[in-house]
Amino acid sequence: MKTLLPIAVLLLSCKILFAQNRSEIQGKIVDETDGKPIEMVTISISYFKDSSFVAYTSTTKDGEFHLKKMPSNQPLVVVASLLGYQNFAKIVQIKPDETYNFGTIKFKSNIQNLGEVVVTAERPPIVINKDTINFNVEAFKVRPNAVVEELLKKLPGIQVDNDGSITYQGKSVSKLKVDGKEFFGNDPRLASKNIDAALLDKVQVFDDRENDPDHLIPDADVSKIINLKFKKKFKKSIFGKVYAGGGSSDRFESGALLNMFRDTLQLSLIGVGNNLNRTGFSRDDLSQMGGFDRSGRNSLYDGSVNLGGSNWGGGIEKVFSGGFNLNNDYGKKLKLNLIYFYNNNSNVNQQSSFNQQFLTADTVLSNNRYASTKTDNRHSVSGLVEWNPDSTIQLRYSPKLNFNDSRNGGDNFSDRFNANGQLNKTVGNNANQASSSQFQHNFSFYKRLKKKGESFRITHDLRLNPDENLGYNNFDLTSFTSTIQSEIVRRRTGNNNKSSSVNLDASYRYPFTEKLTADVSLAGNYSLNGRQVEVYDLNSQNQAYDIFLPDQSSDLNRNQWTERVKAGLTYKFTPKISLEVGLASEWLQIKNEFNYGIPNLNQNYFNLLPSARLRLGNYNLSYNVNINQPSVYNLQPNTIRSSQLYAFTGNPDLTPSKSHNLNLSYNKYFQASQINIYSFVSANFEQNSVTTVRTYSPEGATTATPVNRNGRYNINFNLGGGKRFKKVNDWQISLNQYFYIYNRKDFFIFNQTEGFQNTWVLNVRPSFNINWKDKVELSPAYSFSPRFTSYSVKDYKDVSFTTHSFDARYTIRWPKKIYWDGVYQYQYNPNAGNGFQKSSNLLNLSVALQMLKKDRGELKLSCYDLLNQNITSYRYTGTNSIVDNQFMALKRYFLLTYTIKFNKTTTQ
């Protein structure tokens, strides 16, 4: 009841606020020459007094349009536009509860006076040009010095969530471009925080078909691209920012970002340093201002650029990073990109966990504590060459080279006990050093042939990834039972891993008719995976690590060749209804090498893999089959005994698992009412799944062996939607609702007991946004997530717990040049274990003073975790077990930061 009360109050407020908006506008548009109705004409409404946007819609196939809940007693500008026709524009003022009917409007080359005030040069706020939506920036009023993100929040159909992710009509935005160039990278989250909206002329939204030239991805599933069109006068510019700050608890941050924009040449220089668990230049700065990633990949996340700030395991992170990004277009046919980046990360962390393992006649409890430090050094070089010699050919080549060196170490403590007392304890420390390198490249060639819909494509991928690791592990095991002996271990482990793969794929599409298209593809793949582990104990007599441990060492290699032939047919019943069917034949030859005198295991498989896809307007239903091979580690026919407390035995009789995947999606956006509804259902059913047979002794010792079983499945259901109300009396309100259900049925074999584990997860997250005159903005959200796990075995304890979270973000721009920002986050888990914090209140506050010309300078005082309650913890369930984890978290600090932005443009 308490959960529904705020939502009910909000809905009632919205109803009262918009109750008077019952006025309507309707009409019909036809061609002046033949009188036929015209479809997809954009009808946009804006206020006459300031040109701010109100609403828009498109004409139906009958040429009709209808807009409800229009503002009354205020002059409105109605603009109708379509490529190839002259714009129609008219100022109207509607009375309360009136339906203003334009009647039949004849589109013609010249606009004639209709008896009232006619705007002859009115620029429409929105123009739909085939698959591209064009938003006229001038029609969407933002405050002076506003950034692009604030503008995007005002555009109908675009939603910017609290985490910075951007969607358009429920579809994710995959890229943000500038003047058609991938200047701001592939990750558009917060990608527009540092670009002034005043620089823009248009915002364009269209489908991301860059890697899908034949439109094989359904419209309901394709992501979107946002393109920022600069005003013509900004031909060249140099822009960026420099900042530095210091605060309590020795916290600091500093950074510099310089960008040069010279027609097709784009250069970015970046430097970052801080100990605040973030990049310093958040990914919005890098994606947007730094030009990452022109390489057509998400270099901020695929390893090309790594700035830290992502220590999901907790701890305090210090980062120093720097690099450059260079982009240049040579005419309209050739594009080049080059990125170099260096990153130094150091992390200090402490972790505690509590494990409850329920047995038939007992419960084994364990307390674990870890303290660790880690340092990473990384060099990365990547790039892109894209050549389009003519409109029918596209070639792309993208190489990447990484070098990484890391050091980590720490102390650990583990204590196991049951109702009768202590079982054993382990006290130890470890130190590791690792180095790795990676080279990979991707090549693609696409050729559109003479017949419409006919094409040929070749892709090639290569990946080489060797790495080495040397670790020292010292621990003292003290046992309080007779079955496990106390011991002192001083051990060195060397790992030498190698991973490589090469793939070549060729595909051809041929349309027999306008409705029937065939496609065939041939693919070949070779992969090599090797894992060499050598373990030695310290010889107390000569203090050398020369006591070889064969039961803990291994030398595994897998060579796999795969050949694949796929044929498919696509039939279009109508432009919105189609059926695709396909069948792939797959041959696999696998050679598994175990060495150490163990015979090799050679395997040969042949699989038929069907697939199908049905498109019904906004609905999309698909089915496919995947085959997953068991790892060579799981296949080894011997036992690896890590310690007295853990032993793993492989199973050479494992067979590949088969996965049947079913997906259903729906997405619909109602332009006139600005309502978006989306839903997604996915189901995965497995055959011959690999699971682990585990034994857990009363003393806390574990053995594990993989086996095949049938019956595992996963089902996901997502339902969401949003409503943006029309702006009334300087108020703008939007509502969003997200609903998620997850069900997983898995099997377990534990201590000779076999059964099923069924897990249900529910998440409900309503949220809304209120904006008043761009001076006050509030965005609260609440999340309710119950979880329930049950077992088919009666002796196993069912587990259920519910987590709650609430967050609210606010911005106040008052008085002039003063900005107040804050974030409040509340999390509550009533089932957290003893000694673990059940709830936390995280409150971040800041106040900023804008200064200098055009507010280019900013002095900001911020406080992180004002209440000093921040935690990083979670709970999860295992096989008849519950685990609570808690990590070191960044606590309260105060920080004073000065930032100066610069932007120099020339108007040539």
Side-chain angles (χ1 to χ4, degrees), residues 429-431 470-475 488-494 534-549:
N429 60 76
N430 62 81
L470 182 63
Y472 295 86
N473 186 19
N474 307 317
F475 64 87
I488 298 176
V489 173
R490 303 293 180 264
R491 186 162 294 163
R492 185 187 71 184
T493 302
E534 294 184 345
V535 183
Y536 292 86
D537 268 354
L538 181 68
N539 189 330
S540 59
Q541 296 182 356
N542 58 13
Q543 296 300 305
Y545 288 93
D546 58 9
I547 302 177
F548 182 65
L549 304 179

Side-chain angles (χ1 to χ4, degrees), residues 213-214 391-392 446-456 508-518:
D214 291 322
S391 61
T392 67
Y446 173 81
K447 170 66 176 177
R448 188 168 63 248
L449 303 178
K450 293 183 178 180
K451 190 172 184 179
K452 183 179 180 181
E454 183 184 11
S455 65
F456 177 68
Y508 173 71
R509 287 179 58 83
Y510 182 80
F512 292 108
T513 67
E514 290 185 359
K515 294 187 174 182
L516 182 63
T517 301

Side-chain angles (χ1 to χ4, degrees), residues 240-246 252-258 269-276 278-282 285-286 289 307 319-322 895 897-902:
K241 71 175 182 179
V242 179
Y243 68 90
F252 72 91
E253 66 173 348
S254 62
L257 176 58
L258 171 66
L269 302 174
I270 301 173
V272 173
N274 70 75
N275 60 354
L276 306 176
R278 58 186 174 88
T279 66
F281 281 106
S282 56
D285 295 300
L286 300 172
M289 297 187 68
L307 294 121
V319 56
F320 295 97
S321 303
L895 190 73
T897 305
Y898 183 74
T899 303
I900 183 169
K901 297 180 181 179
F902 52 91

Side-chain angles (χ1 to χ4, degrees), residues 175-182 184 210 225-228:
K175 296 179 182 178
L176 193 149
K177 295 186 174 184
V178 170
D179 286 332
K181 300 179 179 64
E182 293 185 22
F184 293 154
E210 294 184 347
I225 291 177
I226 291 179
N227 181 43
L228 307 178

